[in-house]
């Protein structure tokens, strides 16, 4: 079984913001979870470099486009590591392996015997920001609503892809696979778009040298989307030198993306794959926007917290936790720095951090740091933990990173109540209740261990620290999300706070 997950490749000429971090973090949670289940995974991310803007800005700065792209690709390449993200490969569309593959891919469509690529003149309004042609109806006051600029009139002889011929194959595909696109309302959106009729689109640009040359007409370059989408396949041919990973990971691929690029991924891309003779992806998950309420943060007041600076202040784990928790994954939602701080204090600091500190402190104090392994078949905790592994896995199988996290948090809340209800400090006063105290401490330690393993995909270093504080092996295999696997240890000490108090950000008024 394999699990290949991709994020959109980011335009190299923008700077990373919280929205980009959001997709990458979500993908990392999903992939790490599959690894915990022993699945053979591959996680791809990278940058999309052939947008016309790259060539324009480079020219303004007196640089060659590639020189300029090399400089700004650095920050993107570093982004995953700053977020604790474990991608297997970082693709650049200027990689030779990608360029060669795109040319082969386009040639395969041209040679498929169905006349799917033809030459025609295109004239229309083109928004450089979107890298897409616009109809009058899509404009607001003559401007692109997303970029606020007037599109340019472009008229040129281009190579076209006969998307219109794929309406029926795509509708058949959508009918046969009702979970091809998730969530369901995005599936409906994509299917309605296909039902509404598909227009052929131009896959080449003339008069600009920046891009991948069309193999049969090198005066033209591939349209940036016809180049970028292909990355999901091309990466498999050169990510591991000397190996072709396509048999291993294609078509069991899942694409993660935001709603703005639904059509490209859910309509154009499967059609292009069918035309080139490849199988379509297994599934696409379309998430909403994470919006940072940045109006409340003001540079002039000196309280600026740029999205990636959040990682510097809070560390990657709290930011990852907050991304998964603040907005239900799949929906749009607003998330403020204040909400990050609040969850840091209340949920990570109090609910989880204090639980670990208190439990280890009690084991240190009442049992001199020794934990006896005394699991009990009739333990209340066992009943709470028994369904957890399957419940969390089922949610993550449908990309519900928010629901899965909430399911784990139910256990965190249960454990906090359990401390209060079982009051180990009372039991410790009564020698005749020593066995009872051992059982309570064991269950608390075991519950915390299970929570750590279940959270390992979300907050990996924190999970390791919790296991270490309890003297447990750092094995986060999913089979360990089960009652009674905590091993007997000595030498447990009161753990230092996992999430030390931080000053609250000062919000501007
Ligand atoms: N280069 C294209 C994608 C090509 S994929 C073959 C592109 N790049 S982008 O940098 O503009 O955006 C990439 C993705 O970042 C978006 O589709 C989305 O997945 C994510 N996000 C950007 N802003 C976002 C938010 N504010 N919130 C959530 N995700 C958003 O499009």
């Amino acid at each position: 079984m394999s699990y290949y997950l991709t994020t959109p490749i980011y335009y190299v000429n923008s700077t990373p913001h919280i929205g980009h971090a959001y997709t990458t973090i979500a993908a990392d949670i999903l992939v790490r979870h599959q690894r915990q289940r022993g699945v053979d995974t591959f996680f791809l991310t990278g940058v999309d470099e052939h947008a016309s803007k790259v060539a324009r800005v480079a020219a303004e700065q007196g640089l060659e486009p590639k020189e300029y792209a090399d400089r700004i690709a650095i920050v993107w390449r570093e982004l995953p590591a700053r977020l604790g993200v474990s991608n297997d490969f970082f693709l650049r569309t200027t990689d030779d392996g990608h360029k060669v593959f795109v040319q082969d891919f386009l040639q395969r469509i041209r040679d498929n015997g169905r006349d799917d690529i033809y030459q025609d003149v295109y004239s229309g309004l083109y928004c450089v920001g979107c890298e897409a042609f616009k109809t009058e109806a899509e404009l607001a006051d003559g401007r692109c609503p997303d970029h606020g600029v007037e599109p340019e009139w472009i008229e040129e002889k281009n190579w076209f892809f006969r998307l219109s011929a794929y309406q029926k194959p795509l509708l058949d595909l959508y009918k046969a696979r009702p979970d091809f696109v998730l969530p369901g309302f995005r599936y409906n959106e994509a299917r309605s778009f296909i039902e509404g009729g598909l227009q052929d689109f131009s896959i080449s640009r003339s008069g600009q040298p920046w891009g991948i040359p069309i193999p049969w007409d090198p005066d033209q370059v591939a349209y940036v989307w016809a180049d970028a989408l292909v990355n999901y396949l091309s990466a498999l041919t050169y990510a591991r030198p000397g190996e072709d990973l396509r048999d291993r990971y294609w078509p069991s691929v899942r694409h993660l993306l935001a709603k703005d690029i639904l059509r490209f991924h859910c309509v154009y891309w499967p059609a292009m794959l069918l035309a080139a003779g490849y199988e379509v992806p297994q599934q696409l998950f379309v998430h909403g926007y994470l919006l940072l309420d940045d109006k409340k943060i003001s540079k002039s007041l000196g309280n600026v917290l740029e999205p990636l600076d959040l990682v510097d202040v809070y560390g990657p784990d709290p930011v990852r936790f907050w991304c998964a928790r603040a907005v239900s994954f799949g929906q749009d939602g607003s998330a403020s720095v204040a909400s990050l701080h609040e969850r840091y204090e209340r949920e990570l600091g109090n609910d989880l951090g204090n639980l670990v500190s208190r439990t280890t402190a009690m084991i240190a104090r009442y049992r001199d740091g020794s934990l006896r392994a005394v699991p009990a078949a009739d333990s209340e905790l066992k009943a709470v933990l028994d369904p957890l592994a399957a419940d969390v896995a089922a949610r993550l199988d449908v990309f519900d990173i928010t629901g899965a996290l909430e399911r784990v948090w139910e256990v965190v809340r249960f454990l906090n109540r359990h401390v209060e209800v079982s009051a180990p400090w009372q039991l410790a006063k009564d020698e005749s209740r020593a066995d009872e105290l051992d059982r309570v401490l064991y269950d608390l330690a075991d519950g915390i261990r299970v929570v750590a393993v279940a959270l390992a995909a979300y907050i990996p270093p924190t999970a390791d620290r919790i296991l270490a504080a309890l003297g447990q092996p750092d094995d986060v295999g999913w089979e360990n999300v089960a009652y009674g696997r905590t091993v007997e240890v000595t030498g447990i000490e009161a753990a230092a706070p996992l999430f030390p108090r931080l000053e609250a950000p000062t919000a501007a008024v």
Side-chain angles (χ1 to χ4, degrees):
M1 200 170 35
S2 68
Y3 187 95
Y4 170 31
L5 191 76
T6 72
T7 65
I9 47 171
Y10 304 106
Y11 285 130
V12 77
N13 52 312
S14 62
T15 22
H17 60 65
I18 194 71
H20 302 123
Y22 185 57
T23 312
T24 312
I25 287 170
D28 192 55
I29 292 169
L30 293 163
V31 165
R32 282 182 186 266
H33 168 72
Q34 293 296 331
R35 277 189 211 126
Q36 286 185 273
R37 281 158 65 180
V39 174
D40 172 23
T41 62
F42 195 79
F43 173 12
L44 176 71
T45 185
V47 282
D48 181 354
E49 300 180 83
H50 291 127
S52 358
K53 265 188 287 183
V54 171
R56 285 191 195 186
V57 178
E60 278 162 27
Q61 299 188 5
L63 297 170
E64 286 300 317
K66 178 66 167 54
E67 219 182 333
Y68 169 68
D70 283 348
R71 286 187 194 176
I72 50 179
I74 294 170
V75 53
W76 286 99
R77 197 184 272 284
E78 285 172 353
L79 177 71
R82 288 189 64 190
L83 301 168
V85 161
S86 60
N87 53 304
D88 291 288
F89 189 60
F90 186 91
L91 174 141
R92 295 184 56 178
T93 56
T94 49
D95 292 341
D96 284 339
H98 175 73
K99 291 198 255 185
V100 169
F101 188 86
V102 168
Q103 291 190 320
D104 176 69
F105 186 89
L106 297 177
Q107 189 71 54
R108 285 173 70 122
I109 302 181
R110 181 160 157 84
D111 295 345
N112 74 5
R114 294 195 294 270
D115 201 21
D116 274 345
I117 289 187
Y118 61 93
Q119 208 168 27
D120 204 351
V121 174
Y122 193 89
S123 54
L125 293 165
Y126 191 79
C127 172
V128 177
C130 298
E131 293 287 0
F133 283 104
K134 296 274 157 181
T135 60
E136 294 283 354
E138 286 170 324
L139 304 177
D141 287 335
R143 290 169 185 270
C144 164
D146 289 337
H147 295 92
V149 289
E150 282 180 29
E152 296 164 25
W153 183 259
I154 291 188
E155 186 168 321
E156 57 185 42
K157 205 173 208 186
N158 287 158
W159 293 97
F160 277 69
F161 172 58
R162 203 178 297 282
L163 182 66
S164 53
Y166 288 85
Q167 183 181 29
K168 179 150 182 347
L170 287 177
L171 286 175
D172 291 347
L173 166 71
Y174 272 71
K175 195 167 171 211
R177 289 168 51 179
D179 63 352
F180 181 57
V181 175
L182 289 176
F185 68 100
R186 296 293 178 202
Y187 167 93
N188 291 337
E189 186 181 329
R191 202 186 48 184
S192 310
F193 179 75
I194 301 165
E195 278 165 356
L198 298 176
Q199 308 235 324
D200 298 348
F201 68 95
S202 145
I203 53 150
S204 72
R205 292 289 174 271
S206 66
Q208 69 170 57
W210 181 236
I212 301 177
I214 296 289
W216 60 88
D217 181 3
D219 288 341
Q220 302 226 2
V221 295
Y223 168 46
V224 67
W225 275 99
D227 152 354
L229 286 162
V230 182
N231 91 92
Y232 301 132
L233 250 180
S234 74
L236 298 179
T237 64
Y238 71 95
R240 298 280 172 270
E243 270 183 82
D244 188 337
L245 301 173
R246 278 178 293 181
D247 285 347
R248 193 160 149 197
Y249 296 114
W250 199 272
S252 76
V253 55
R254 279 100 173 152
H255 299 312
L256 202 63
L257 53 134
K259 59 180 187 173
D260 55 338
I261 48 179
L262 175 142
R263 283 182 200 174
F264 290 108
H265 282 80
C266 302
V267 183
Y268 291 27
W269 175 229
M272 286 165 65
L273 283 164
L274 291 173
Y278 284 99
E279 288 186 68
V280 298
Q282 179 153 336
Q283 220 162 28
L284 299 103
F285 186 87
V286 184
H287 66 75
Y289 276 170
L290 181 70
L291 306 164
L292 189 69
D293 190 2
D294 59 358
K295 282 187 215 91
K296 293 202 176 109
I297 298 169
S298 146
K299 251 185 192 163
S300 58
L301 287 167
N303 64 346
V304 65
L305 277 179
E306 295 288 337
L308 274 176
D309 292 345
L310 297 175
V311 170
D312 293 337
V313 175
Y314 291 91
D317 279 6
V319 173
R320 294 166 63 101
F321 176 82
W322 168 69
C323 281
R325 194 138 170 83
V327 175
S328 180
F329 195 55
Q331 308 292 323
D332 280 350
S334 186
S336 63
V337 178
S339 84
L340 165 60
H341 192 81
E342 198 264 335
R343 285 189 191 275
Y344 177 85
E345 283 197 332
R346 183 168 55 81
E347 299 193 314
L348 291 175
N350 293 346
D351 293 356
L352 182 61
N354 280 353
L355 178 68
V356 174
S357 301
R358 284 176 94 182
T359 303
T360 49
M362 288 190 290
I363 297 170
R365 183 154 169 209
Y366 304 140
R367 288 291 178 261
D368 211 11
S370 298
L371 184 71
R372 282 182 60 211
V374 284
D378 62 349
S379 151
E380 196 189 343
L381 178 68
K382 181 175 184 307
V384 169
L385 295 184
D386 277 350
L388 185 69
D391 282 0
V392 172
R395 284 167 173 78
L396 290 174
D397 278 343
V398 291
F399 304 82
D400 183 6
I401 59 172
T402 311
L405 182 52
E406 172 54 22
R407 187 67 187 80
V408 180
W409 224 254
E410 285 172 13
V411 178
V412 173
R413 287 194 291 262
F414 169 85
L415 291 169
N416 277 304
R417 280 197 307 276
H418 196 59
V419 178
E420 296 306 323
V421 172
S422 56
W425 46 91
Q426 297 290 358
L427 300 176
K429 287 184 195 154
D430 185 348
E431 207 26 61
S432 70
R433 301 180 79 183
D435 285 350
E436 219 180 309
L437 177 60
D438 279 338
R439 271 201 304 277
V440 169
L441 292 177
Y442 181 80
D443 272 10
L444 287 174
D446 195 51
I448 293 171
R449 177 193 57 78
V450 167
V451 163
V453 178
L455 290 178
Y458 292 82
I459 48 175
T462 302
D464 286 346
R465 283 172 64 198
I466 297 175
L467 292 174
L470 291 169
Q472 299 300 306
D474 63 354
D475 177 359
V476 294
W478 200 243
E479 64 284 358
N480 293 316
V481 180
Y483 178 74
R485 289 180 169 234
T486 296
V487 294
E488 202 147 290
V489 279
T490 55
I492 294 180
E493 292 170 11
L498 290 175
F499 302 99
R501 285 190 85 79
L502 291 172
E503 240 174 80
T506 37
V509 266

